[in-house]
Amino acid sequence: MELWSQEAKKLRALLPAEVEAALDRHEAAGTTKDPEYLAATQVYYDEHVCRVVPNPPDVVRTFQLLEEDPTVYHAMNGPNEFYCIGSLRDWSVVDRVRTSPPRPCLFGPV
């Protein structure tokens, strides 16, 4: 997730300064449920997760379900796509990618 977090930081840097400042401020304070933080998160999502605004019903429903029971997602990842503070924060397979033999990808009728 370190590589993911590094790339997410690059995307955050492309957001308006006040949005990035709100994200930084609330993450430092541990107030990631604050409405200002959630609004700033939505700006990130609208720019880098789903650029169709308003979001399609399936995307809206996915976020609603996540909000209804965030237990697993928050424990493993964190409060959103770009602030990885859960149990997966140090997980990586980067060191094993080069040792894995390439596998063919076959497409055909199922």
Side-chain angles (χ1 to χ4, degrees):
M1 295 298 279
E2 182 181 340
L3 181 59
W4 176 271
S5 294
Q6 290 170 0
E7 295 303 313
K9 285 179 186 177
K10 290 178 186 177
L11 295 176
R12 278 175 64 151
L14 301 174
L15 298 173
E18 65 275 6
V19 173
E20 190 175 15
L23 294 171
D24 290 340
R25 183 171 54 256
H26 288 288
E27 289 167 1
T31 53
T32 57
K33 292 182 182 179
D34 186 279
E36 181 186 37
Y37 184 81
L38 297 175
T41 298
Q42 191 61 50
V43 173
Y44 179 96
Y45 283 176
D46 289 346
E47 186 63 27
H48 302 300
V49 176
C50 181
R51 297 184 109 182
V52 178
V53 178
N55 292 151
D58 291 341
V59 174
V60 171
R61 183 65 181 140
T62 297
F63 283 114
Q64 287 172 341
L65 290 170
L66 187 57
E67 191 174 315
E68 286 175 20
D69 187 3
T71 308
V72 174
Y73 183 80
H74 285 193
M76 295 183 76
N77 191 70
N80 53 50
E81 293 294 310
F82 52 84
Y83 185 46
C84 302
I85 57 172
S87 61
L88 291 177
R89 71 185 165 276
D90 297 321
W91 180 82
S92 178
V93 295
V94 171
D95 60 332
R96 292 181 282 176
V97 171
R98 294 185 195 275
T99 62
S100 298
R103 300 201 176 174
C105 184
L106 304 175
F107 294 95
V110 177

